[in-house]
Amino acid sequence: MTRKQKRLSVIAGGLAFLGAATGLTFYALGQKASYFYMPADLTTASLQPGQRIRLGGLVEKGSVERGQGATVAFSVTDNQKDVKVSYTGILPDLFREGQGVITEGSFDAHGVFVADSVLAKHDENYMPKDVADRLKAEGVWEESKSE
Amino acid sequence: MLFWVIAAILTLGASLAVLLPLAGGSKGASSSGDHDLEVYRDQLSELDRDAARGLIQPAEAAEARAEIARRILRLDNAGMAGEASARRASVAARLVATAAVLVVPLVSWGLYSQLGSPDLPSQPLSERLAKNPADSSVDELVARAEAHLAANPSDGRGWDVLAPVYLRMQRFSDAAAAYRNAIRLDGDSADRQAGLGEAIASAAGGIVSADAQDAFEAALKLDPANAKASFYLAVALAQEGRGQEAVTAWQAMLGKLPPDSPWRSAVEQALAKSGTPEIASGSAANGPAAGDIDAASAMSPADREAMINTMVAGLDDKLRQNPRDAEGWMRLVRSYVVLGKADQARDALGRAIAVFGADSDEAKKLTALAASLGLTATE
Amino acid sequence: MVETGHFALVLAFALSLVQMIVPLFGARLNNQRLMAVGGPVAVTGFALTALSFVALASAYASSDFSVASVWENSHSLQPLIYKITGTWGNHEGSMLLWVLILTFFGALVAAFGANLPATLRANVLAVQGAIGAAFFLFILATSNPFLRLNPAPIEGRDLNPVLQDLGLAVHPPLLYLGYVGFSICFSFSVAALIEGRIDASWARWVRPWTLVAWMFLTGGIAMGSYWAYYELGWGGFWFWDPVENASFMPWLAGTALLHSAIVMEKRSALKIWTLLLAILTFSLSLLGTFLVRSGVLTSVHAFATDPTRGIFILCILTLFIGGSLALFALRSSRLTAGGLFHPISREGALVLNNLFLTTATATVLVGTLYPLAVEAFSADKISVGAPFFNLTFGPLMVPLLVMVPFGPLLAWKRGDVFAAAQRLMVAFAAALLAMLVTALFIDGASVFAALGVGLAVWLILGALTDLAVKSGFGNVAAGIGVRRLLGLPRSVFGTAFAHLGLGLTTLGIVGTLCFGTEKILSMHPGETVELSGHTLRFVGLYPAQGPNYSEDRGRFELIGVSGSAIGEISSAKRFYPVRQMTTTESGIKTLWFSQLYLSLGDQGKDGSVVVRLWWKPLVTLIWGGGLVMMAGAAMSLMDRRLRVGAPSRRRGQASAVTSAGLP
């Protein structure tokens, strides 16, 4: 190989590598990004059981039930619809009824949302941004509920 | 004054940092070529060290040495061509220098006059607390007591003094904690238990909960004649719907109370109210209990009234901004009733119901509360 | 005192304006006097910023609630240490710390830059001044820590309880030392572009700064990861959270820069690329600052956010990134290319390293910003989490890690892969053995686990092989070998330690992810639970009172083989009344390199409590590896090659100064 050919092959190799990395990235984005839903969206969106999504809203007042061991069931609501969520594990310290949460997981065959993570940020006025935006848009939630 | 002196000195120092180099003589600067040469020399010596240590093969070392030598040669050529002499300070340079010297004081004093609060001294907490107590506000006195207790958390007497003050300031959960600490450290007493019960009940908006009941019962065990505990236990009975038993309890109290007891009028009021089907539930929080802890408070009655009025006005204001706060409304309605401002109470009730809608749970609760306080939504 | 600090801050801003403009003109007009202004102004600016910071810290320490930021983020009952660390535990104070470090580094360049060509030094200080001016303006306009309240409130609102922790007291300063350290590399790059030439001393200056910044950033990230691990109570060490990614991207790019700067220094090759990389690294640092402060992305640990701040930082970001890249496009063609090399050589290996690292940076960047893009162009909200990064970042890292041990064993210019492979035979055999042992003898080990362990062993032994080969073990007598080992340049040790640390971190991650176990259960006092061979007995819940919180502490005993207690772990639920916040204090017991991790959940009505238990094998190696990497960077910094004297008759004196002065 001449020097020029060598250089070309190195450049081609580099480009092929970048191409592969780009392809992988977009494939992964398509597969692994989880969409954010509010309970009211779920009627319009058709979801397969097992598809990972993020579900956000307010923890419905009076809906939290402690089950066997560390399993907790509660409802997430946007005041239009509510969704039953089951979660096994330790809830974040700021998980409270009437407060905003984001849960991540998927629906099981019975239509119960099985969450493997429940998020609530460490901030006294916390409302997850995704949830706050949507609730504001729907007029459910007003700024600064705290006293 | 001192601040302005410091500010002036700082400005002077900063200006000097700009001025001195400008005024200084120009040092004979070396050209960048000299610097490069220095680096290459150093690389050569490093190469020699590495070669001596056997870190690189002799052939490689020779090649690298040749490469560095080539760079040095290239440098020499470039150096011949591009040796520029420092120009004398041109007009432009003088302009820049003048602007730079002016910028420092102008920008700093200009901006500071907009942003700063030069007249406001530092106010470290310890200094504020060290002031003469007579000049201090109630808040400051409380803060002083809190600081003392933070340093000596096992001072039971301190908690004992602070607890009723908290209660007075409507910091109910703090009051409950303080009573608990006092009980833990200085032991049980009927007054402390009764105070704890009152704090818990007040924190719950006047509802005598199971916890509060426990405390009152403990107080009665220690001192069967404790008026506060007896009174609240009767309130509890009334709240449970056992109105008749409550009346009996109050009547029994009247029989035992000494004639000058501040509780007498409270019991009489309660009895008077219990004639109607809805029995008092909430008025207890701000009710007769106030009378017997005056001694512990640093406030004059006028101060206290003014403070309560401000608090209530503040709450009203907050609720206008954030109306969806059912507990806040309950507190507000109750407060107006206690202050004897029935019209305002009614107005608040009307507004609250408008917020939640007449059919909502909150509205029902509020109406029930109002009824228990002897108030109706619309006359 | 407070107002003095405020005035000093304003004055420092004025000086930064001077520092930005005067030396730049000086370099243009080749006027010695104007150029000479840069140094003293930079040092004075630092002194004033330091004064300002001390004033703020003393306001915090003395609970001066007439200062708004103290009132919002402090409380008189906090322990003194958290009062002081609270200074930078909030947005305003941490920005002040940011510029303090920026001016500190500027002052270092000014003080020890005597061996730099005068115009380069002037231009670097000017760019540094420009960054400073932008951030001073940002602070004064949107986040002034010295705003006052009159009358002063009597009590503050308390520092966020999760921030009342020593780990978080150390984490931000380390992280900022890293972020801001890259500003020097950026300034050097922009200065080179302004001049249109790269001096030979350029690489010698940029490399130590990259090392310093990288070292602190490594420490900052490791500290932050450990903090999240024990404080958030979820037992995870990395969440691929936007804020974490924000610090990880400059680290990846900085690692690439570290390696390309070696090529540039040794061979004058990759000049333009190194310059671009330096610009990109600092740009990513700025992007990180923007992401954290603006709140555009949902994150577990974001500051209280404010849209005006976000827009302001976005402007700074656009100005500096756009400006420097435009300058790069205009000027880079004037820079001369450097030495040639064969693809298979030390340079080739380092280029490959750069290719992988920058691609990895790009995937993290895409994953972090993709939700923003989707939100901007459609109404959908999405989140990109660990599954995405595992799928993209993982495959990129594995081949890179496999190649790491080869790099240092290849010769410059033209290397011999087979010779290097031969030298690595021992490491390779050991890695293979480790894989087999893992696969055969450890229950439940997956193929991935075996490969992971093998990879980690490969990295660790590869790093040691490098040292052994360079000191000639095997060819010379042991005594001579030891003497030669001790005589090796520090930078060789630096490389070996950094790669060793990488191996240890890999081992820690593999151990925790593949062999960790967890249990969630509800326990009554007196009950025992077994996890991976460790038996724990729940003793009970005990209430306790802290200075500004109350807690329920769950105590657990670790039961030994004999049935008696051999250790205690306790985890607590803390309640901070001022903010009405509950936090979980996790309980951790370290057994060798592994940890037993425990966190309390809700209490049941019957006296039971939900307990989550993890067995995390080798987990401490994750952060221990980070420390070893930092040690490697520190050793590299001490290498004598990084000290270059000034070209003058006072050479001895000057080089003594620089050798003492270079960090």
Side-chain angles (χ1 to χ4, degrees):
Chain A
M1 282 203 284
T2 64
R3 175 172 276 182
K4 198 171 180 186
Q5 276 172 326
K6 245 187 226 165
R7 188 181 279 182
L8 274 179
S9 63
V10 167
I11 290 173
L15 285 180
F17 171 79
L18 286 179
T22 315
L24 182 66
T25 304
F26 284 98
Y27 168 75
L29 278 179
Q31 293 290 305
K32 302 291 182 185
S34 41
Y35 279 77
F36 176 82
Y37 293 99
M38 303 279 290
D41 302 336
L42 292 170
T43 40
T44 50
S46 57
L47 288 175
Q48 306 294 323
Q51 186 183 339
R52 274 184 79 75
I53 63 159
R54 281 188 160 200
L55 175 72
L58 301 171
V59 181
E60 195 172 347
K61 285 207 170 129
S63 72
V64 179
E65 283 171 39
R66 318 243 169 223
Q68 282 289 306
T71 302
V72 185
F74 55 91
S75 292
V76 169
T77 178
D78 53 3
N79 289 4
Q80 297 176 38
K81 259 198 97 215
D82 49 80
V83 173
K84 281 210 173 351
V85 178
S86 136
Y87 172 69
T88 302
I90 290 183
L91 290 167
D93 292 324
L94 278 169
F95 180 90
R96 278 177 210 157
E97 296 192 350
Q99 294 279 321
V101 281
I102 291 183
T103 62
E104 192 163 349
S106 56
F107 282 96
D108 68 4
H110 309 291
V112 173
F113 189 76
V114 180
D116 49 33
S117 77
V118 172
L119 290 182
K121 204 178 71 168
H122 292 264
D123 185 333
E124 75 275 34
N125 291 328
Y126 178 58
M127 177 66 61
K129 188 180 176 304
D130 301 341
V131 178
D133 288 354
R134 291 291 295 276
L135 290 179
K136 266 184 223 160
E138 282 157 22
V140 175
W141 180 66
E142 299 107 40
E143 209 79 52
S144 151
K145 249 187 165 174
S146 67
E147 284 189 27
Chain B
M1 191 58 216
L2 179 66
F3 166 72
W4 292 113
V5 175
I6 295 174
I9 293 173
L10 287 179
T11 317
L12 188 69
S15 305
L16 281 181
V18 181
L19 208 57
L20 286 181
L22 286 175
S26 80
K27 292 166 265 175
S30 46
S31 80
S32 50
D34 297 342
H35 285 271
D36 286 1
L37 189 61
E38 193 67 23
V39 172
Y40 296 144
R41 269 201 208 119
D42 195 67
Q43 282 180 336
L44 278 178
S45 64
E46 184 197 341
L47 197 62
D48 291 341
R49 280 199 305 276
D50 282 359
R53 229 183 249 138
L55 281 178
I56 52 176
Q57 302 305 314
E60 251 178 77
E63 212 175 309
R65 206 170 282 130
E67 187 177 303
I68 296 171
R70 274 201 297 280
R71 284 187 214 147
I72 294 177
L73 282 176
R74 210 177 315 140
L75 190 68
D76 281 350
N77 295 336
M80 304 279 187
E83 194 66 44
S85 65
R87 258 184 280 165
R88 304 215 151 252
S90 61
V91 182
R94 241 180 248 139
L95 218 61
V96 171
T98 318
V101 175
L102 287 179
V103 152
V104 175
L106 288 183
V107 168
S108 57
W109 287 73
L111 256 181
Y112 183 77
S113 68
Q114 294 296 309
L115 297 171
S117 326
D119 309 328
L120 216 55
S122 298
Q123 302 175 27
L125 195 64
S126 52
E127 242 169 61
R128 295 169 71 186
L129 295 181
K131 272 194 310 190
N132 182 358
D135 302 341
S136 306
S137 67
V138 175
D139 282 353
E140 276 176 337
L141 288 173
V142 170
R144 186 189 304 223
E146 280 172 342
H148 164 76
L149 285 169
N152 313 290
S154 53
D155 177 4
R157 227 188 78 75
W159 291 112
D160 209 21
V161 171
L162 193 56
V165 180
Y166 276 143
L167 200 57
R168 177 66 60 76
M169 293 170 79
Q170 308 214 339
R171 288 168 64 176
F172 301 125
S173 52
D174 286 332
Y179 274 121
R180 284 205 179 95
N181 283 331
I183 291 168
R184 182 167 53 85
L185 296 164
D186 276 12
D188 252 356
S189 86
D191 282 342
R192 285 177 198 142
Q193 286 288 5
L196 174 61
E198 184 176 15
I200 297 173
S202 306
I207 307 293
V208 182
S209 62
D211 282 351
Q213 239 168 359
D214 288 349
F216 289 126
E217 274 159 13
L220 275 190
K221 210 173 275 173
L222 291 163
D223 172 16
N226 187 294
K228 190 191 278 181
S230 316
F231 178 82
Y232 272 97
L233 283 172
V235 172
L237 288 173
Q239 285 171 354
E240 283 168 26
R242 293 147 71 183
Q244 206 46 55
E245 290 171 59
V247 169
T248 321
W250 276 320
Q251 275 161 348
M253 264 184 90
L254 271 188
K256 283 186 225 156
L257 280 176
D260 58 341
S261 163
W263 287 95
R264 207 161 251 290
S265 66
V267 174
E268 278 159 4
Q269 265 177 25
L271 276 173
K273 263 190 213 159
S274 64
T276 57
E278 297 92 359
I279 219 109
S281 72
S283 60
N286 298 298
D292 72 340
I293 50 172
D294 248 344
S297 166
M299 271 182 279
S300 70
D303 271 357
R304 192 177 147 246
E305 176 134 0
M307 193 170 87
I308 292 176
N309 277 327
T310 355
M311 278 175 161
V312 173
L315 182 60
D316 195 337
D317 208 37
K318 201 186 284 172
L319 286 168
R320 277 177 208 276
Q321 283 154 22
N322 304 307
R324 298 194 69 86
D325 175 1
E327 292 203 0
W329 284 112
M330 292 203 195
R331 265 213 323 272
L332 185 65
V333 171
R334 190 179 302 124
S335 306
Y336 277 135
V337 171
V338 169
L339 290 173
K341 298 176 176 170
D343 288 345
Q344 274 159 306
R346 224 166 273 131
D347 172 55
L349 182 62
R351 274 189 285 145
I353 290 174
V355 167
F356 293 105
D359 299 334
S360 64
D361 284 352
E362 286 89 349
K364 280 179 198 144
K365 263 190 226 159
L366 276 161
T367 323
L369 168 75
S372 74
L373 293 171
L375 195 73
T376 47
T378 42
E379 298 256 299
Chain C
M1 187 67 196
V2 176
E3 288 304 314
T4 308
H6 195 172
F7 186 77
L9 183 66
V10 175
L11 203 52
F13 168 62
L15 280 183
S16 72
L17 288 175
V18 173
Q19 188 188 337
M20 168 171 88
I21 291 161
V22 177
L24 191 67
F25 271 98
R28 251 205 113 68
L29 302 171
N30 204 4
N31 181 310
Q32 293 297 331
R33 287 192 181 131
L34 289 185
M35 284 197 273
V37 169
V41 166
V43 174
T44 317
F46 164 62
L48 287 169
T49 317
L51 177 65
S52 171
F53 188 79
V54 168
L56 186 66
S58 77
Y60 267 91
S62 64
S63 297
D64 184 344
F65 297 123
S66 68
V67 180
S69 97
V70 179
W71 170 67
E72 276 171 13
N73 300 293
S74 192
H75 191 278
S76 64
L77 300 186
Q78 255 168 246
L80 183 62
I81 174 85
Y82 296 137
K83 278 188 189 172
I84 294 172
T85 62
T87 313
W88 57 85
N90 61 87
H91 169 76
E92 288 85 1
S94 69
M95 283 318 295
L96 189 58
L97 179 67
W98 207 97
V99 290
L100 176 68
I101 295 173
L102 185 82
T103 51
F104 172 63
F105 284 164
L108 281 185
V109 174
F112 302 114
N115 57 350
L116 281 171
T119 51
L120 179 62
R121 178 165 175 255
N123 280 326
V124 168
L125 286 175
V127 179
Q128 202 70 16
I131 302 172
F135 276 92
F136 276 121
L137 192 61
F138 171 68
I139 291 178
L140 290 172
T142 71
S143 2
N144 194 331
F146 290 107
L147 293 183
R148 305 292 295 273
L149 293 171
N150 193 18
I154 195 69
E155 191 49 275
R157 291 174 161 187
D158 208 357
L159 178 65
N160 189 337
V162 286
L163 303 184
Q164 296 186 26
D165 178 90
L166 222 52
L168 217 69
V170 189
H171 161 68
L174 281 180
L175 207 58
Y176 295 166
L177 281 167
Y179 274 174
V180 180
F182 286 121
S183 74
I184 301 282
C185 307
F186 174 85
S187 298
F188 266 86
S189 296
V190 174
L193 289 171
I194 292 174
E195 289 193 19
R197 67 185 293 268
I198 299 183
D199 298 279
S201 50
W202 194 92
R204 298 220 151 189
W205 262 82
V206 166
R207 209 173 112 73
W209 278 109
T210 316
L211 271 170
V212 170
W214 185 86
M215 177 170 83
F216 285 121
L217 194 56
T218 308
I221 293 175
M223 196 72 237
S225 152
Y226 190 58
W227 169 78
Y229 169 76
Y230 73 76
E231 181 70 31
L232 296 183
W234 304 344
F237 55 89
W238 194 257
F239 300 100
W240 292 108
D241 176 276
V243 169
E244 288 170 344
N245 292 349
S247 63
F248 193 46
M249 288 187 283
W251 187 85
L252 286 170
T255 312
L257 176 62
L258 201 61
H259 288 89
S260 81
I262 303 178
V263 181
M264 172 151 178
E265 187 202 338
K266 284 273 192 183
R267 296 281 338 257
S268 313
L270 299 185
K271 277 185 191 171
I272 298 169
W273 169 245
T274 306
L275 217 123
L276 180 63
L277 208 49
I279 291 176
L280 288 180
T281 305
F282 184 60
S283 302
L284 288 170
S285 299
L286 285 179
L287 180 73
T289 311
F290 167 68
L291 289 180
V292 177
R293 311 289 167 154
S294 65
V296 291
L297 291 167
T298 309
S299 156
V300 257
H301 29 182
F303 281 89
T305 52
D306 171 354
T308 45
R309 286 176 192 158
I311 291 166
F312 203 116
I313 299 190
L314 196 60
C315 290
I316 296 182
L317 202 68
T318 322
L319 186 73
F320 281 98
I321 302 180
S324 57
L325 290 181
L327 197 63
F328 181 81
L330 280 176
R331 291 293 182 90
S332 62
S333 56
R334 284 172 61 171
L335 304 173
T336 49
L340 297 168
F341 54 85
H342 194 265
I344 295 172
S345 61
R346 180 87 65 89
E347 296 94 317
L350 291 167
V351 168
L352 216 52
N353 150 302
N354 269 232
L355 185 65
F356 275 94
L357 281 173
T358 42
T359 313
T361 313
T363 59
V364 178
L365 185 67
V366 168
T368 310
L369 296 185
Y370 187 67
L372 273 186
V374 169
E375 196 184 326
F377 294 113
S378 72
D380 286 334
K381 297 223 174 207
I382 65 158
S383 72
V384 173
F388 167 81
F389 294 103
N390 293 343
L391 190 59
T392 53
F393 188 74
L396 279 170
M397 276 302 112
V398 171
L400 178 63
L401 294 183
V402 170
M403 286 184 301
V404 163
F406 284 100
L409 289 173
L410 290 173
W412 291 102
K413 269 186 123 168
R414 181 183 290 273
D416 186 346
V417 176
F418 297 106
Q422 242 169 8
R423 290 167 167 172
L424 285 167
M425 274 316 280
V426 180
F428 186 71
L432 215 57
L433 189 70
M435 263 191 251
L436 280 175
V437 168
T438 311
L440 295 178
F441 294 103
I442 297 185
D443 288 337
S446 62
V447 180
F448 277 114
L451 288 175
V453 171
L455 187 59
V457 171
W458 166 245
L459 275 169
I460 293 168
L461 291 182
L464 296 178
T465 306
D466 180 34
L467 285 181
V469 166
K470 291 206 168 122
S471 51
F473 279 109
N475 297 331
V476 296
I480 302 177
V482 170
R483 210 173 325 128
R484 285 181 62 174
L485 178 71
L486 296 178
L488 284 177
R490 303 248 167 79
S491 61
V492 172
F493 276 104
T495 309
F497 266 71
H499 291 173
L500 180 73
L502 189 63
L504 291 175
T505 299
T506 311
L507 190 61
I509 293 174
V510 171
T512 310
L513 292 186
C514 297
F515 304 109
T517 47
E518 70 169 281
K519 248 183 201 172
I520 305 169
L521 73 167
S522 143
M523 290 179 89
H524 289 90
E527 282 181 1
T528 57
V529 58
E530 215 221 88
L531 184 74
S532 293
H534 302 273
T535 311
L536 275 177
R537 182 192 296 135
F538 179 34
V539 180
L541 274 182
Y542 298 87
Q545 188 74 36
N548 51 345
Y549 58 83
S550 55
E551 64 176 16
D552 279 326
R553 186 159 281 280
R555 281 170 46 196
F556 295 80
E557 275 174 347
L558 189 58
I559 309 292
V561 190
S562 60
S564 59
I566 52 170
E568 203 190 271
I569 312 181
S570 70
S571 166
K573 278 268 178 209
R574 278 190 185 164
F575 179 69
Y576 288 79
V578 178
R579 291 210 173 204
Q580 292 285 308
M581 255 181 89
T582 315
T583 66
T584 308
E585 295 291 306
S586 53
I588 294 175
K589 179 96 190 162
T590 307
L591 303 162
W592 295 97
F593 293 119
S594 311
Q595 289 185 333
L596 211 50
Y597 184 113
L598 196 151
S599 95
L600 281 191
D602 300 296
Q603 290 176 42
K605 290 201 176 67
D606 53 349
S608 69
V609 64
V610 174
V611 177
R612 191 161 182 178
L613 257 179
W614 284 270
W615 168 243
K616 297 198 166 279
L618 302 180
V619 71
T620 56
L621 288 181
I622 297 176
W623 309 290
L627 286 180
V628 175
M629 286 188 232
M630 286 179 81
M635 271 183 252
S636 255
L637 271 174
M638 288 188 286
D639 194 275
R640 60 176 292 172
R641 137 174 140 243
L642 295 176
R643 303 167 198 151
V644 184
S648 68
R649 272 138 272 130
R650 315 168 282 126
R651 195 183 153 186
Q653 198 189 337
S655 60
V657 168
T658 43
S659 60
L662 270 184

